[in-house]
């Protein structure tokens, strides 16, 4: 029997794995979006801690970025998955449950990716804030703007404008890190490619297809980020 071609494997025919790969691609995007959202929240707090005058907040933010940037991302996922499972199992025993209770892989992976990306978010947002010209903030103060209004209308938009290229890079990193979540059993793109490779004995074909899909998602993301950069740069004088 002839082996299916690469296009047949990626298709939706009788020998195709198109449905499974497409579902895996969507799961990859969902994991990346969830991790990115968690990282944005943590990174915003971390950036605030680094630029705040509070010594404790600054020391905490420094410790967070140092530790998370020094630990492999895969190890963080393991810690969240097995640590979360241990906690869930202990809670289950308190209510009479028996045996091992696993922590949801999607939740563990999303949290782990978010915590690791949060360290990068922290530095990118801190750099974006530092790039805001002090005179623009001083002008807002001179106009009598309250602190929260300055934050909403001056500081936050300008910080986002300066940080957006870096935030785009963080998204691309998060997108690639989502592949590590496959170790928790989440049926994302790489996991589906592994299943297909094991079922057909054609690992190169499936990993090549997965690579092409990742590249398509990454390219589309880059186009969206570039458009967002142009939108935020409207009315800005080029130097």
């Amino acid at each position: 029997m002839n082996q299916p071609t690469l296009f047949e494997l990626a298709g939706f025919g009788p020998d195709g794995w198109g449905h499974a790969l497409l579902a895996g691609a969507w799961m990859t995007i969902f994991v990346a979006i969830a991790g990115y959202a968690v990282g944005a929240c943590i990174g915003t707090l971390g950036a605030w801690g680094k630029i705040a005058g509070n010594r404790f907040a600054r020391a905490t933010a420094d410790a967070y970025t140092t530790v998370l940037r020094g630990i492999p991302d895969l190890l963080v996922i393991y810690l969240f998955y097995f640590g979360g499972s241990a906690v869930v199992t202990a809670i289950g025993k308190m209510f009479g449950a028996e045996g091992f209770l696993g922590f949801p892989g999607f939740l563990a992976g999303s949290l782990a990716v978010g915590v690791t990306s949060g360290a990068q978010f922290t530095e990118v947002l801190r750099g974006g804030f530092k790039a805001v010209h002090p005179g623009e903030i001083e002008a807002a103060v001179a106009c009598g703007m309250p602190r929260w209004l300055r934050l909403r209308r001056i500081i936050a938009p300008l910080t986002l404008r300066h940080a957006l290229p870096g935030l785009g890079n963080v998204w691309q990193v998060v997108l690639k890190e989502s592949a590590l979540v496959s170790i928790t059993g989440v049926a994302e793109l790489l996991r589906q490619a592994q299943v297909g490779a094991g079922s057909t004995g054609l690992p190169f074909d499936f990993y090549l297809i997965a690579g092409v899909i990742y590249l398509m998602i990454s390219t589309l993301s880059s186009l969206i980020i570039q458009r967002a950069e142009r939108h935020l740069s409207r009315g800005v004088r080029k130097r």
Side-chain angles (χ1 to χ4, degrees):
M1 182 177 179
N2 294 329
Q3 290 184 341
T5 65
L6 191 68
F7 293 103
E8 289 174 336
L9 290 174
F12 298 91
D15 295 322
W17 286 72
H19 292 290
L21 293 171
L22 183 61
W26 279 114
M27 181 58 69
T28 292
I29 294 173
F30 291 151
V31 171
I33 291 175
Y36 195 79
V38 173
C41 295
I42 297 175
T44 300
L45 292 175
W48 170 82
K50 288 212 169 192
I51 62 180
N54 188 293
R55 290 186 178 181
F56 176 77
R58 186 165 58 250
T60 302
D62 287 338
Y64 163 69
T65 54
T66 300
V67 171
L68 267 298
R69 292 169 72 183
I71 297 179
D73 297 342
L74 185 59
L75 178 57
V76 177
I77 295 176
Y78 276 130
L79 291 174
F80 268 87
Y81 182 65
F82 291 109
S85 297
V87 172
V88 171
T89 301
I91 295 175
K93 288 181 178 180
M94 294 173 57
F95 291 93
E98 297 181 358
F100 176 80
L101 298 176
F103 194 66
F106 178 87
L107 184 57
S110 299
L111 289 174
V113 170
V115 169
T116 55
S117 65
Q120 301 176 55
F121 262 106
T122 297
E123 297 300 337
V124 170
L125 292 176
R126 183 184 67 86
F129 175 80
K130 294 294 184 181
V132 177
H133 196 283
E136 295 178 277
I137 301 177
E138 293 171 359
V141 174
C143 291
M145 271 192 184
R147 177 178 299 179
W148 287 108
L149 187 60
R150 291 200 305 270
L151 175 64
R152 183 170 62 89
R153 306 190 76 174
I154 303 297
I155 299 175
L158 291 176
T159 298
L160 179 61
R161 177 187 295 170
H162 293 300
L164 189 57
L167 296 178
N169 291 334
V170 174
W171 164 256
Q172 300 289 15
V173 172
V174 168
L175 188 62
K176 291 189 291 184
E177 285 181 349
S178 66
L180 300 176
V181 179
S182 62
I183 64 171
T184 66
V186 176
E188 47 75 63
L189 179 56
L190 183 59
R191 180 64 177 173
Q192 295 287 21
Q194 290 171 338
V195 172
S199 299
T200 61
L202 299 171
F204 177 79
D205 299 68
F206 275 94
Y207 293 136
L208 179 60
I209 294 170
V212 171
I213 296 175
Y214 275 116
L215 183 60
M216 291 171 60
I217 297 173
S218 177
T219 302
L220 179 60
S221 300
S222 297
L223 294 175
I224 294 174
I225 292 169
Q226 291 173 7
R227 184 163 185 174
E229 289 180 15
R230 289 195 298 268
H231 176 75
L232 289 178
S233 298
R234 289 184 306 175
V236 179
R237 185 173 58 184
K238 304 295 183 180
R239 294 181 179 180

